[in-house]
Every structure is written in C-alpha cells, then in structure tokens.
Amino acid sequence: MIDIIISLLLLIGTFFTLSGSLGILRFPDVYSRLHAATKAATLGVAGVLLGAFLYLLFDQGIVSGKLLLGIVFVLITAPISGHMISRAAYNSGVELWQKTKRDHLSNERK
C-alpha cells in the first residue's frame, strides 16, 4: 500500500512539474508564466520530495530531516520569490497581457 502512495506522490509531483513547464512555454505574459512556474514548482517539488521521504522512511528505515527541510523551504520561498519577481517586473514597467481585465496595482504605481 505504501508503494502505491509513494508512486502516486512521485507521479503527481512529476505531473505538476511538467504542467508548469508547459505553462511557461504557452502562457502569454511574464505574470502568468511566473504564476505557472511558482505554483507548479511548489507542488511538484513538494510531491517528489515527500515521495522520496516516504520511500526512505518505509523502505530503508531512514528519517531524512533534509528532505523535510527541503519541502518546508520550497513551500515558503517559491511563492514569495514569484511574488517579488512579478512585483519587480510590474514596477519596472513590464506590460500586462492585452486581454487582462483588471490591474489591481495601478493605484499603487502613481
């Protein structure tokens, strides 16, 4: 049963990483590309690391604190870095996609 859970976590992590890569290639502007990259990287890397942690725990009997710290680090830093990069792009004048309906930061720019 644990092998199925580990396999599912690895497959889910791989799926999110692959879908994020496709999102980077297909989305129209830098903001949606950053969104795809950070969401997918966060979920993908967390899934793969959690699968690796469970494998080491149940098959090898090893509790890997490094994998747990890696999961926590990615869950905390990836969304924040994506937000800061997109905010820097906005403040430096990178245009939104022409079909964007609302600009929530337009009042802050002035």
Side-chain angles (χ1 to χ4, degrees):
M1 182 66 181
I2 195 68
D3 290 336
I4 295 172
I5 294 172
I6 292 169
S7 298
L8 283 175
L9 283 171
L10 293 175
L11 287 173
I12 289 170
T14 305
F15 168 75
F16 278 116
T17 304
L18 179 65
S19 65
S21 300
L22 292 175
I24 291 170
L25 294 174
R26 296 203 36 123
F27 283 161
D29 64 346
V30 69
Y31 305 106
S32 54
R33 288 178 183 164
L34 274 168
H35 175 75
T38 55
K39 294 289 183 185
T42 302
L43 295 173
V45 171
V48 170
L49 289 179
L50 189 58
F53 174 77
L54 290 178
Y55 170 76
L56 287 175
L57 180 64
F58 290 108
D59 270 6
Q60 306 295 322
I62 299 170
V63 176
S64 177
K66 291 178 184 179
L67 286 174
L68 290 177
L69 286 174
I71 292 169
V72 170
F73 182 75
V74 167
L75 288 176
I76 291 172
T77 59
I80 294 170
S81 64
H83 175 77
M84 295 306 292
I85 292 170
S86 63
R87 181 77 103 160
Y90 185 84
N91 288 335
S92 67
V94 175
E95 293 295 322
L96 296 171
W97 185 38
Q98 65 267 19
K99 292 185 181 179
T100 301
K101 296 193 186 288
R102 212 182 294 173
D103 183 3
H104 292 288
L105 296 176
S106 63
N107 295 335
E108 293 182 20
R109 185 179 261 187
K110 298 175 183 174

